[in-house]
Every structure is written in C-alpha cells, then in structure tokens.
Amino acid sequence: MAATLVDLGRQMRAAWALYLMGSWGFRTDSVAVEMLASKLTRHVDEALTHLVAAGIYRYDGPKK
C-alpha cells in the first residue's frame, strides 16, 4: 500500500486556491503594480546597459 502524504489536506487546499486564481484571477492594487513595473523596468534597463557594454547582449532586431 502506498504511503499517504502527511500534508495532503494543505496541498489540496493550495491546489484548489491556485485553480480558482487561474480561473477567476485575483485582485491587485493598480498603483502598487504600476510602481513595481516601473521599478523593474528601470532595473532591467540598467542591467541591459551593462550587458551591452560588456558585449554579452546584442539586439539585432526582432527577426534574428
């Protein structure tokens, strides 16, 4: 007989919550989302600047 999972109940509740979030979505704070997007975009732009300068990253256009 297969061993049962000790935390099966917690895993099932988590799976159900994730299923519902995937089906219905979830609420977010639009101001906080915009602030996070702005912050992350700034970090990505700074990282790309360093990567291009180091010759690690090169953008040749969308088709290459």
Side-chain angles (χ1 to χ4, degrees):
M1 177 174 237
T4 59
L5 296 173
V6 176
D7 63 344
L8 180 62
R10 282 187 283 167
Q11 288 189 27
M12 292 303 296
R13 285 190 295 278
W16 179 244
L18 291 171
Y19 170 77
L20 291 177
M21 286 172 58
S23 298
W24 298 341
F26 57 96
R27 290 185 148 182
T28 58
D29 180 359
S30 60
V31 174
V33 170
E34 286 297 322
M35 288 173 49
L36 178 62
S38 172
K39 182 178 180 180
L40 292 177
T41 301
R42 190 173 59 247
H43 284 297
V44 168
D45 290 343
E46 289 173 7
L48 282 177
T49 301
H50 293 297
L51 292 172
V52 169
I56 296 172
Y57 179 79
R58 181 180 65 201
Y59 182 75
D60 290 332
K63 294 187 177 184
K64 291 187 177 183

